[in-house]
Each structure stands twice: as C-alpha cells, then as structure tokens.
Amino acid sequence: MKSNIFLIICTMLLIACQQKTAEQSINYNQLSEEEKLSAEHALASMEIQEGLEVQLFASEPMMSNPTNMDVDSRGRVWMIEGQNYRNQHNPDNPYRNEGDRILI
C-alpha cells in the first residue's frame, strides 16, 4: 500500500502536457520480471491519458529505497532514503556506512 501511494504521488508530480513517448507503447506484460524492475521500463506499466506524458527524472543508482518525498515552494523534490532500514531482514541489500540520507 505504501509503495502504491508513493507511485501515485510520483506519477502526479511527473505528468506534463505532451505527446506519448515510445516507452509507453511497450507491452508491459511481455517484459521479463527483471525488465519490469529496470529504470528503462519504469514507465511502461503506467496508463497515461492521451495528450499527457510521464517522465522519469530519478532512478537507481541515483537513489535507492525512497521512504518519503516532498516538493518545496521552489519546486525541488526532496527524497529520504532508508538504505539501511531493516537490513537485518534483508541481508542481501547493500549497506551504506554513512547511513541514510536526504536527497534534493
């Protein structure tokens, strides 16, 4: 549920009045599970109303495990990364010695 809300918020922030991109014409159901998780195909699962475009402006490795997001009065997107959150339950996740971070 939390990731769905995050996806909805990201989608609302990224929508602009443009033409459809080639990425949106990809059949998401024909992609492998690995392809579905890639930044290259991140937008293929979204259904966009005609006349609108969604643009991906950030993805891994620029950030990972975003937990919160906000947009300030200057239009900057602030992301909080929970890189080290619950690593004891996900030992395969990378650990950042510097800790979690806030990205603008």
Side-chain angles (χ1 to χ4, degrees), residues 34-83:
E34 186 174 334
E35 289 173 323
K36 288 178 182 179
L37 297 175
S38 72
E40 178 184 358
H41 299 293
L43 306 179
S45 67
M46 298 181 184
E47 293 183 21
I48 310 302
Q49 183 150 351
E50 190 172 331
L52 299 178
E53 177 185 354
V54 176
Q55 297 176 342
L56 181 66
F57 71 92
S59 66
E60 291 179 325
M62 294 170 60
M63 63 175 183
S64 62
N65 197 24
T67 60
N68 294 306
M69 178 178 75
D70 195 13
V71 179
D72 67 16
S73 61
R74 293 171 43 186
R76 299 177 300 178
V77 178
W78 294 66
M79 301 292 300
I80 298 177
E81 266 187 346
Q83 179 70 35

